[in-house]
Amino acid sequence: MFTYQINQDLYLRMYTIDDAEALYQLIDESRGHLKKWLAWVDYNTDVESSRDFIQSTLKGVSETGGYPKTLGMFYKGELAGTVGFNEVNRTHQYATIGYWLSEKFQRKGIVTEACRGIIHLGFNEMGLNRIEIRAAAENKKSRAIPERLGFTKEGVLRQVEIVNGEFYDHVVYSMLASEWSKTNI
């Protein structure tokens, strides 16, 4: 089982089917918090939905060349959220990172450190050249992650996502492998 230790309190781990109940409970208790920005929240309605999601993430390993595509963020042994590659393009050596965190785990630096870990995995293990993070223009907390990690703001994709009947613009941030190695030695 793939596990990536970030620090004493935080590790990333590939989901297993046994995580379905904990994942569903975390989503359910965070539903109001997550629903504003994430369209999939309404589709995760029971433990079976979480089980199906986990099953699909396990199939995603082939997209990444054998690496986990989606990882649970575990803080002090408790599932806190998810970080992963929403898209991986092996031909052109780039990926797009996505993440979400339960409201009760916010303000602990979890997402920043989890992203730092998955970026390291992408550049140093998977051989990627470019990693993107896209965030809704109005989602200041999500946008703070790539900004904190030194990503370059490239521009805005207008009305690229619809959530709860509302179109959102996405701000696109990127980091190149050569830039990451200079800033994260």
Side-chain angles (χ1 to χ4, degrees):
M1 161 109 28
F2 182 88
T3 302
Y4 191 84
Q5 192 74 40
I6 302 294
N7 58 41
Q8 182 179 340
D9 293 330
L10 178 64
Y11 64 92
L12 309 178
R13 179 175 60 74
M14 204 163 123
Y15 281 114
T16 69
I17 295 301
D18 293 339
D19 294 316
E21 177 74 33
L23 179 59
Y24 172 72
Q25 291 303 325
L26 191 66
I27 291 167
D28 198 47
E29 70 188 31
S30 302
R31 198 169 295 282
H33 162 72
L34 298 173
K35 183 180 170 98
K36 178 169 176 54
W37 305 113
L38 301 169
W40 58 260
V41 172
D42 285 340
Y43 302 106
N44 193 298
T45 57
D46 53 28
V47 175
E48 191 61 35
S49 300
S50 290
R51 190 173 289 114
D52 291 345
F53 167 75
I54 291 169
Q55 200 67 271
S56 73
T57 69
L58 297 174
K59 291 176 185 168
V61 171
S62 62
E63 270 184 66
T64 63
Y67 295 95
K69 188 173 177 186
T70 305
L71 299 163
M73 293 184 282
F74 290 84
Y75 182 75
K76 296 185 178 182
E78 190 177 350
L79 180 61
T82 298
V83 63
F85 294 114
N86 292 339
E87 177 186 2
V88 176
N89 185 312
R90 301 290 292 164
T91 302
H92 299 292
Q93 298 175 307
Y94 74 84
T96 303
I97 292 177
Y99 42 82
W100 64 268
L101 184 69
S102 168
E103 192 168 25
K104 70 181 181 181
F105 289 101
Q106 289 190 353
R107 306 190 79 68
K108 299 178 186 318
I110 293 170
V111 176
T112 301
E113 292 310 308
C115 283
R116 192 182 314 276
I118 201 163
I119 292 163
H120 176 83
L121 176 70
F123 287 141
N124 298 330
E125 304 295 326
M126 296 169 58
L128 296 175
N129 180 59
R130 174 187 168 90
I131 293 178
E132 290 181 6
I133 294 177
R134 298 177 182 188
E138 299 301 316
N139 190 341
K140 292 182 187 340
K141 288 182 181 179
S142 190
R143 289 184 54 194
I145 304 303
E147 291 170 3
R148 197 173 296 125
L149 291 169
F151 276 57
T152 298
K153 179 181 171 184
E154 292 189 336
V156 176
L157 299 173
R158 299 179 316 144
Q159 297 188 359
V160 71
E161 181 181 35
I162 188 166
V163 180
N164 304 314
E166 184 179 343
F167 285 100
Y168 285 136
D169 294 348
H170 276 191
V171 179
V172 179
Y173 297 90
S174 70
M175 176 68 70
L176 301 178
S178 59
E179 297 165 337
W180 184 254
S181 62
K182 288 178 188 172
T183 60
N184 292 281
I185 295 174

